[in-house]
Amino acid sequence: MKTTSSSILLIDNNFSFTEVVVNFIARNTSFQYEIMVAHSASEAKAIISEFQPAIVLTDFNLPDMSGINFLPELRKLLPQCQIIVSTLIDTKEYRQAAANFGVQAFIPKSELYDCLPMTLERLNPTPSTVRL
């Protein structure tokens, strides 16, 4: 059996939501991910100082900073990182702001469970392979 490994930093202020998403990723993707969770931009920056994720999945509504304002910081801290934005607010302005900062995917939270597995596989096409 082959499994693959990659890393995700999940940033969302809703504790219940992050727990559900972590479990969902574990059950509904073909890769084995190492997932770190932050509930604010400042917590994410602290994690990033020690953990360099391949993918960041972030909300725009963070308690200490707007996700739109956080995207340029994420790009500076993690220039090669794949970024997915998932938010309840699905507007043309939010989608354009995300695109302006090189976000690879914008997924409304209402579509997250339908779109996330396919999006993760698209962003992680050649992960390292481990044989078990």
Side-chain angles (χ1 to χ4, degrees), residues 37-83:
V37 175
H39 296 103
S40 67
S42 57
E43 190 178 338
K45 287 187 265 187
I47 290 171
I48 289 168
S49 70
E50 296 184 24
F51 176 76
Q52 299 290 301
I55 298 170
V56 171
L57 172 58
T58 187
D59 188 7
F60 267 167
N61 185 23
L62 301 173
D64 56 347
M65 174 180 251
S66 158
I68 291 174
N69 293 330
F70 187 46
L71 286 177
E73 288 190 48
L74 270 177
R75 272 287 160 233
K76 284 181 185 176
L77 294 168
L78 300 166
Q80 303 303 317
C81 184
Q82 306 284 335
I83 299 175

Side-chain angles (χ1 to χ4, degrees), residues 2-127:
K2 290 184 179 181
T3 59
T4 56
S5 178
S6 193
S7 55
I8 298 173
L9 174 58
L10 172 59
I11 310 167
D12 195 291
N13 64 319
N14 184 317
F15 287 77
S16 298
F17 177 76
T18 56
E19 185 176 327
V20 168
V21 171
V22 167
N23 288 327
F24 178 80
I25 291 170
R27 291 187 179 120
N28 293 284
T29 61
S30 59
F31 302 138
Q32 199 173 46
Y33 291 98
E34 177 183 5
I35 304 172
M36 297 293 293
V37 175
H39 296 103
S40 67
S42 57
E43 190 178 338
K45 287 187 265 187
I47 290 171
I48 289 168
S49 70
E50 296 184 24
F51 176 76
Q52 299 290 301
I55 298 170
V56 171
L57 172 58
T58 187
D59 188 7
F60 267 167
N61 185 23
L62 301 173
D64 56 347
M65 174 180 251
S66 158
I68 291 174
N69 293 330
F70 187 46
L71 286 177
E73 288 190 48
L74 270 177
R75 272 287 160 233
K76 284 181 185 176
L77 294 168
L78 300 166
Q80 303 303 317
C81 184
Q82 306 284 335
I83 299 175
I84 302 168
V85 170
S86 184
T87 185
L88 288 172
I89 305 167
D90 182 12
T91 65
K92 183 178 179 179
E93 293 79 18
Y94 269 33
R95 285 179 178 268
Q96 187 60 52
N100 290 344
F101 291 108
V103 168
Q104 283 69 35
F106 185 102
I107 305 172
K109 283 189 177 175
S110 62
E111 299 172 19
L112 188 67
Y113 301 116
D114 292 332
C115 298
L116 187 59
M118 179 176 42
T119 301
L120 289 173
E121 289 188 22
R122 179 176 57 85
L123 296 179
N124 194 24
T126 57

